[in-house]
Amino acid sequence: MFSIDPTMIRRAADSGTIFERGKKLHAQGAYHMLEADREAMRFVYEIDGSYGDYLTEIQFTQGMLHRSCSCPYPGQGCKHVVAVLFDVAKLLARDAPDTTDT
């Protein structure tokens, strides 16, 4: 099962500051999942932003992260992408089969 860890999310952020801002945004819960295709590993979110709502999409293909966000930030690793990655990580962890012995 594919999983996302904080180290991978940190690498997706353009800087440590962006990572921390995205982590905070995730904790605030200012987002809404619009689409989730677990088979295609594609997730689309609407995020309440400073200048309106933004669409943020992430997709994993062949182990590569593809991301986009409609916010005005000039890079690909914005705080919105970070927040979405934290949420998707939580979603995938919740869906993962329990492998502990009982």
Side-chain angles (χ1 to χ4, degrees), residues 9 12-14 17-26 28 47-51 54 56 69 71 73 75-86:
I9 298 172
D14 281 352
T17 301
I18 295 294
F19 175 78
E20 291 301 325
R21 289 178 182 166
K23 197 167 146 182
K24 183 177 177 182
L25 181 63
H26 176 258
Q28 293 169 344
I47 300 184
D48 297 333
S50 303
Y51 303 102
Y54 307 126
T56 303
C69 185
C71 76
Y73 180 75
Q76 288 189 341
C78 68
K79 65 183 179 181
H80 309 109
V81 166
V82 171
V84 165
L85 285 168
F86 272 110

Side-chain angles (χ1 to χ4, degrees), residues 14-77:
D14 281 352
S15 70
T17 301
I18 295 294
F19 175 78
E20 291 301 325
R21 289 178 182 166
K23 197 167 146 182
K24 183 177 177 182
L25 181 63
H26 176 258
Q28 293 169 344
Y31 52 84
H32 174 79
M33 183 187 297
L34 298 176
E35 296 176 41
D37 183 341
R38 289 175 178 87
E39 189 173 315
M41 290 298 290
R42 180 179 172 270
F43 304 89
V44 180
Y45 284 73
E46 182 177 66
I47 300 184
D48 297 333
S50 303
Y51 303 102
D53 293 340
Y54 307 126
L55 285 178
T56 303
E57 178 180 342
I58 63 167
Q59 183 168 13
F60 293 91
T61 55
Q62 299 177 354
M64 298 289 295
L65 170 63
H66 304 278
R67 58 201 185 261
S68 66
C69 185
S70 65
C71 76
Y73 180 75
Q76 288 189 341

